[in-house]
Amino acid sequence: LSFINGLCAATHLIVPTGLDNLAAQSAGNFIIQYKFLKPRICPQLELIGVVPSMTYNQGPANYIQREQPVVARLQGLVRGEFGSSAFLLENCNIHRAAHIRNAAGEKLAYFESDESRTIFTTLAKEVIERTRR
């Protein structure tokens, strides 16, 4: 019930996902549920996109070999559900970084390093741009 209430109270949705098969499948199931629930209980809720998280390499769309098929799978899923792969925020991936991992649940990773600020500022700028469309 809290999940549904959260969706109803929100205006925009970001789906973070790891780049492994199980996480991609879960993200896919979530997107399918979003499409089902949106017209019924939260028509105002707009999907901003899927954010690849815990990636191994830094930089936009810079994935290691084992992540590439998962990205392709996510692109296909998003394209199949929305007619475009634009919902995959590839240029805003959040890579594995000790300062982000160490901050989890205790503090804001944004304040832990310049690198963290760059990662989250890039994501924030993309979110702002997409909410203005």
Side-chain angles (χ1 to χ4, degrees), residues 3 7 28-38:
F3 168 75
L7 291 178
N29 291 340
F30 186 86
I31 290 169
I32 291 167
Q33 289 300 314
Y34 159 78
K35 276 194 72 178
F36 176 78
L37 292 172
K38 177 181 165 62

Side-chain angles (χ1 to χ4, degrees), residues 32-105:
I32 291 167
Q33 289 300 314
Y34 159 78
K35 276 194 72 178
F36 176 78
L37 292 172
K38 177 181 165 62
R40 290 165 178 77
I41 61 171
C42 45
Q44 83 290 350
L45 185 61
E46 296 298 326
L47 177 65
I48 290 176
V50 177
V51 179
S53 301
M54 296 176 50
T55 61
Y56 283 95
N57 288 339
Q58 302 175 18
N62 186 13
Y63 303 111
I64 64 171
Q65 186 174 359
R66 77 179 211 194
E67 293 172 332
Q68 291 170 358
V70 179
V71 170
R73 182 177 175 192
L74 283 168
Q75 288 171 330
L77 170 81
V78 171
R79 191 177 303 109
E81 292 297 322
F82 299 102
S84 167
S85 61
F87 285 102
L88 184 61
L89 282 71
E90 291 183 74
N91 295 327
C92 300
N93 63 318
I94 301 171
H95 66 275
R96 294 174 187 263
H99 51 272
I100 294 173
R101 182 180 60 247
N102 293 339

